[in-house]
C-alpha cells in the first residue's frame, strides 16, 4: 500500500463542504498494480471531488483521457478515448469494509482515503470488450462477417427427431 500513498485524499484537516483533487495517470500508475492491462500508453486525467460531511464522505471520481488499444480485426494500434465517472459514499465504522459497491466503510481513526483502487477500477471498466479501430474499413468487416460462424436457428434444432428412449418414457408417463 506504500506505493499507492500518492493517491491518498487527506480529509482530516478539511472543512465540511466540497474539495477537488486532481491526478495525472500514466503507465507507472498501472505498474503499481502488477496486473496485465489490455492497453498501453495511458494518458488520463482524474478529478476527485470530495464532499465532506460530519459523519460521512462523498466521492465523485471522474476520469477522461486516452489509452492505446490493439484492434481485434486489423491488429493495429489506435487511441481510444475513455470517459467515466463513479460515485462512492465513505462511512466510518469499526473496520474496513468494501462489500457494498456503493458504500465503503473505513475505520473511525483514519485521516485519509486512498482512491487508487477506485481509479484503477474506473479505468478498467472503461475499456471495451471488442476493440475495433475507427480505421477498419467496410471491406474488412464484410470479410470478417463472411468467415464468422453463422447462428443456428432454433427451429432447425427442434426439427431433429427425439431419442426413441424418451418417447417410450413419455408413453409410460401418459398412461399414468
Amino acid at each position: 500500500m506504500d506505493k499507492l500513498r500518492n493517491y491518498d485524499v487527506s480529509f482530516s484537516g478539511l472543512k465540511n463542504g466540497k474539495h477537488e483533487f486532481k491526478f495525472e495517470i500514466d503507465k507507472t500508475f498501472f505498474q503499481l498494480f502488477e496486473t496485465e492491462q489490455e492497453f498501453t500508453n495511458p494518458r488520463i486525467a482524474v478529478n476527485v471531488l470530495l464532499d465532506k460531511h460530519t459523519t460521512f464522505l462523498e466521492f465523485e471520481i471522474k476520469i477522461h483521457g486516452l489509452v492505446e488499444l490493439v484492434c481485434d480485426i486489423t491488429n493495429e494500434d489506435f487511441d481510444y478515448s475513455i470517459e467515466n465517472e463513479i460515485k462512492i459514499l465513505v462511512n466510518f465504522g469499526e473496520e474496513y469494509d468494501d462489500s457494498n459497491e456503493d458504500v465503503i466503510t473505513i475505520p473511525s481513526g483514519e485521516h485519509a482515503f486512498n482512491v487508487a483502487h477506485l481509479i484503477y477500477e474506473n479505468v478498467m471498466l472503461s475499456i471495451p470488450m471488442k476493440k475495433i479501430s475507427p480505421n477498419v474499413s467496410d471491406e474488412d468487416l464484410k470479410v470478417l462477417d463472411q468467415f464468422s460462424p453463422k447462428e443456428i436457428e432454433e427451429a432447425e434444432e427442434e426439427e431433429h427427431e427425439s431419442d426413441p428412449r424418451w418417447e417410450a418414457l413419455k408413453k409410460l408417463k401418459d398412461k399414468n
Side-chain angles (χ1 to χ4, degrees), residues 81-100:
S81 176
I82 59 172
E83 192 166 329
N84 200 351
E85 154 182 346
I86 57 173
K87 294 181 181 183
I88 299 290
L89 187 69
V90 176
N91 283 330
F92 298 100
E94 294 296 317
E95 59 186 31
Y96 185 86
D97 179 17
D98 62 354
S99 58
N100 185 336

Side-chain angles (χ1 to χ4, degrees), residues 1 3-7 25-37 39 42 46 114-124:
M1 195 70 174
K3 297 185 254 179
L4 301 174
R5 263 196 214 278
N6 292 337
Y7 304 96
I25 304 299
D26 58 14
K27 65 181 179 182
T28 56
F29 172 78
F30 293 98
Q31 289 169 348
L32 297 173
F33 290 91
E34 300 173 358
T35 58
E36 192 172 317
Q37 284 80 37
F39 55 86
V46 179
N114 190 287
V115 294
H117 287 283
L118 296 174
I119 294 170
Y120 178 81
E121 289 174 9
N122 205 352
V123 171
M124 297 308 279

Side-chain angles (χ1 to χ4, degrees), residues 65-80:
L66 296 171
V67 295
E68 200 170 279
L69 299 176
V70 177
C71 179
D72 292 338
I73 297 172
T74 62
N75 211 28
E76 71 178 30
D77 293 342
F78 68 98
D79 280 341
Y80 181 78

Side-chain angles (χ1 to χ4, degrees), residues 23-159:
F23 300 98
E24 293 294 323
I25 304 299
D26 58 14
K27 65 181 179 182
T28 56
F29 172 78
F30 293 98
Q31 289 169 348
L32 297 173
F33 290 91
E34 300 173 358
T35 58
E36 192 172 317
Q37 284 80 37
E38 297 181 21
F39 55 86
T40 56
N41 196 19
R43 302 162 313 270
I44 301 169
V46 179
N47 291 337
V48 177
L49 300 171
L50 164 63
D51 192 359
K52 183 180 178 188
H53 300 271
T54 307
T55 57
F56 65 94
L57 308 168
E58 287 181 89
F59 283 92
E60 185 176 328
I61 300 172
K62 296 179 182 181
I63 63 161
H64 62 280
L66 296 171
V67 295
E68 200 170 279
L69 299 176
V70 177
C71 179
D72 292 338
I73 297 172
T74 62
N75 211 28
E76 71 178 30
D77 293 342
F78 68 98
D79 280 341
Y80 181 78
S81 176
I82 59 172
E83 192 166 329
N84 200 351
E85 154 182 346
I86 57 173
K87 294 181 181 183
I88 299 290
L89 187 69
V90 176
N91 283 330
F92 298 100
E94 294 296 317
E95 59 186 31
Y96 185 86
D97 179 17
D98 62 354
S99 58
N100 185 336
E101 65 183 50
D102 295 327
V103 180
I104 296 175
T105 302
I106 62 174
S108 299
E110 291 289 321
H111 301 289
F113 180 71
N114 190 287
V115 294
H117 287 283
L118 296 174
I119 294 170
Y120 178 81
E121 289 174 9
N122 205 352
V123 171
M124 297 308 279
L125 290 173
S126 299
I127 304 301
M129 293 293 285
K130 290 184 178 181
K131 298 159 198 68
I132 300 175
S133 169
N135 301 330
V136 172
S137 67
D138 290 336
E139 293 173 15
D140 291 335
L141 293 174
K142 284 179 187 176
V143 170
L144 183 67
D145 188 46
Q146 178 183 354
F147 293 105
S148 295
K150 305 298 179 217
E151 292 184 28
I152 300 173
E153 294 183 24
E154 289 180 29
E156 189 177 303
E157 290 179 7
E158 291 175 8
E159 290 178 13

